Amino acid sequence: MHAPLAGATYGAVAGGGARLNGRRRAPRPRALATALVATAQPPRIARDPAALRAAGASLTAVLPHVPAVRNLGPAALQVAQVGSGHLTAFWQYGADPANLLPGALLAAEAGAVVSDVRGAPWTPAAPSFLAAAPGVHAELVGLLRRV
């Protein structure tokens, strides 16, 4: 995946790790209280009332525990940034496999934990997505389970 404006090229091979501009990268272990987290909404979320409600409720659940929640661009790029350590976590409600799959491979190969928001293994058919540095994944699952 290439992000030309950032001068970043991400690459990963299943079982072979992940790289950013040719160098291995890994998520940064951080406490949730100092984490930079991001979220987004998939295309056509308005057609999925449950995902729309959960997306809004998730902000209320997470915001008191982090400095800020951002949306920094395409979902695939934000998930890749979890793997490179630029973001601590990313979550999203609603099915969006075409956008999440590339980032999920990159994040997982770098060492991030990739699941649905309940902590179950993520599949392209899952109704939610979470990628996080190992040190904050369980805590975010705990917050997002309340949604």
Side-chain angles (χ1 to χ4, degrees):
M1 173 184 339
H2 184 62
L5 295 177
T9 301
Y10 295 85
V13 174
R19 297 185 179 277
L20 170 58
N21 294 334
R23 290 183 281 166
R24 284 196 176 271
R25 294 299 301 242
R28 291 183 180 166
R30 290 195 174 122
L32 198 53
T34 61
L36 179 56
V37 300
T39 188
Q41 297 77 42
R44 298 176 297 282
I45 192 172
R47 295 180 190 167
D48 185 349
L52 184 60
R53 183 201 62 76
S58 70
L59 288 172
T60 301
V62 174
L63 273 170
H65 304 277
V66 298
V69 176
R70 302 283 188 241
N71 182 330
L72 301 169
L77 180 58
Q78 292 181 93
V79 177
Q81 289 173 332
V82 172
S84 69
H86 292 98
L87 287 173
T88 308
F90 173 88
W91 78 93
Q92 180 174 298
Y93 287 89
D96 192 17
N99 288 317
L100 295 172
L101 196 54
L105 174 65
L106 287 158
E109 284 297 318
V113 181
V114 176
S115 70
D116 68 12
V117 298
R118 304 252 183 245
W122 181 77
T123 68
S128 63
F129 178 88
L130 171 63
V136 300
H137 182 267
E139 192 173 355
L140 272 171
V141 166
L143 294 173
L144 294 171
R145 278 186 184 200
R146 300 176 193 165
V147 171

